[in-house]
Amino acid sequence: PDNPVAYFYLGQEFYNRYETATDPKEKQRDADSADYAFNNSLIRKPDYINPMICLAELQRSTNKLDLAKTTYYRALRLAKTGDSASIFMGMGVVYAIKQQLDSAGYFFRAALKQNPKYPEGLSNYANFMDITGQPDSALAYYAKAIAINPDNTIPYLNRAKILLKQNKVDEAIKNYTRVTELKPDQGEAFLLRSKCYQQKGNRALALQDADKAVALGYPVDKNYYQSLK
């Protein structure tokens, strides 16, 4: 009961469950349990940086942004020089969500300065480029993130959304298809690809993908679904 490492590992277990849970009550329960475990780890060892960073990420994920910012700064004070890329990235995300874009850009660039091949940092900086009206730069950074970690679905999803805005529907379909290959249980990708096919006038494929999204339990607008039948 007094082992901070055991509480840290327990927190990680609940955090992983939180990230994969689909039921809202189950998700909240796992988040609360992870929060409890990480905090208990830090009570027993206040300078234990690993649960501190995980706690900040959990707080960020549950929209406790001010708490997350405070926890990230605590971690930053403890981090070794040159070993803060994930903290900088987390700070960038917090500031981006809070629409403090100058600060967000500073922290994203700091993360990539420390680790230019940090795929999550590249992907999040691409998101930043997109929300600041730089879609071509965003596409370039998504490509870098994918080249380093081709099995992460998030950059494909976000890149496809930009490609759709640029009316590059076929390219968007390729990205959504890659997501369905990597995660066949991700209903969102099937629905988004369905809408691409619908935009191209291929109702049969659009309906096929919409059916798949429904079968996976992903919410599909009833009017859109009926329009394909």
Side-chain angles (χ1 to χ4, degrees):
D2 292 324
N3 188 336
V5 177
Y7 273 110
F8 169 51
Y9 287 145
L10 182 63
Q12 282 189 310
E13 175 66 26
F14 280 116
Y15 190 22
N16 291 335
R17 292 185 190 180
Y18 159 77
E19 289 194 311
T20 57
T22 56
D23 179 79
K25 289 183 179 179
E26 181 182 342
K27 201 170 185 70
Q28 184 61 57
R29 183 171 60 249
D30 290 334
D32 290 343
S33 297
D35 183 274
Y36 173 84
F38 289 141
N39 273 297
N40 269 276
S41 178
L42 291 170
I43 287 170
R44 286 156 178 79
K45 189 177 180 182
D47 61 349
Y48 192 3
I49 194 168
N50 291 339
M52 196 176 296
I53 294 173
C54 288
L55 177 61
E57 291 174 353
L58 175 66
Q59 290 166 337
R60 187 188 81 205
S61 297
T62 53
N63 208 35
K64 299 174 181 176
L65 299 180
D66 290 332
L67 279 175
K69 185 169 70 171
T70 299
T71 307
Y72 276 128
Y73 273 120
R74 284 175 60 199
L76 196 57
R77 286 193 291 268
L78 292 171
K80 296 177 182 178
T81 302
D83 194 27
S84 306
S86 65
I87 303 173
F88 286 140
M89 191 278 298
M91 292 288 288
V93 173
V94 168
Y95 279 115
I97 295 171
K98 290 170 72 71
Q99 291 294 302
Q100 296 176 356
L101 298 181
D102 288 343
S103 295
Y106 169 82
F107 280 107
F108 285 135
R109 287 188 291 273
L112 293 177
K113 184 177 181 180
Q114 277 204 359
N115 186 355
K117 295 184 177 181
Y118 181 24
E120 191 176 359
L122 290 164
S123 183
N124 277 285
Y125 193 48
N127 296 344
F128 174 76
M129 288 287 156
D130 184 28
I131 65 175
T132 54
Q134 304 173 72
D136 291 334
S137 294
L139 290 173
Y141 277 98
Y142 285 133
K144 290 180 181 180
I146 289 168
I148 295 169
N149 184 7
D151 294 333
N152 185 358
T153 60
I154 294 174
Y156 293 105
L157 286 169
N158 290 331
R159 182 167 69 174
K161 292 173 184 176
I162 295 178
L163 292 168
L164 273 178
K165 292 177 185 176
Q166 296 180 338
N167 204 33
K168 298 176 181 177
V169 183
D170 289 331
E171 291 300 312
I173 288 173
K174 290 179 183 178
N175 281 266
Y176 289 136
T177 298
R178 184 59 182 147
V179 176
T180 65
E181 292 168 348
L182 290 169
K183 296 186 79 172
D185 59 346
Q186 188 165 8
E188 180 186 12
F190 285 101
L191 177 59
L192 292 170
R193 191 174 66 176
S194 169
K195 292 183 176 180
C196 289
Y197 285 134
Q198 190 261 354
Q199 189 173 330
K200 287 176 64 70
N202 193 332
R203 291 179 62 184
L205 287 178
L207 178 58
Q208 180 177 302
D209 271 358
D211 284 339
K212 183 67 174 178
V214 170
L216 289 168
Y218 193 80
V220 177
D221 180 77
K222 291 181 181 179
N223 292 331
Y224 171 72
Y225 198 27
Q226 288 298 322
S227 73
L228 299 175
K229 296 184 176 181

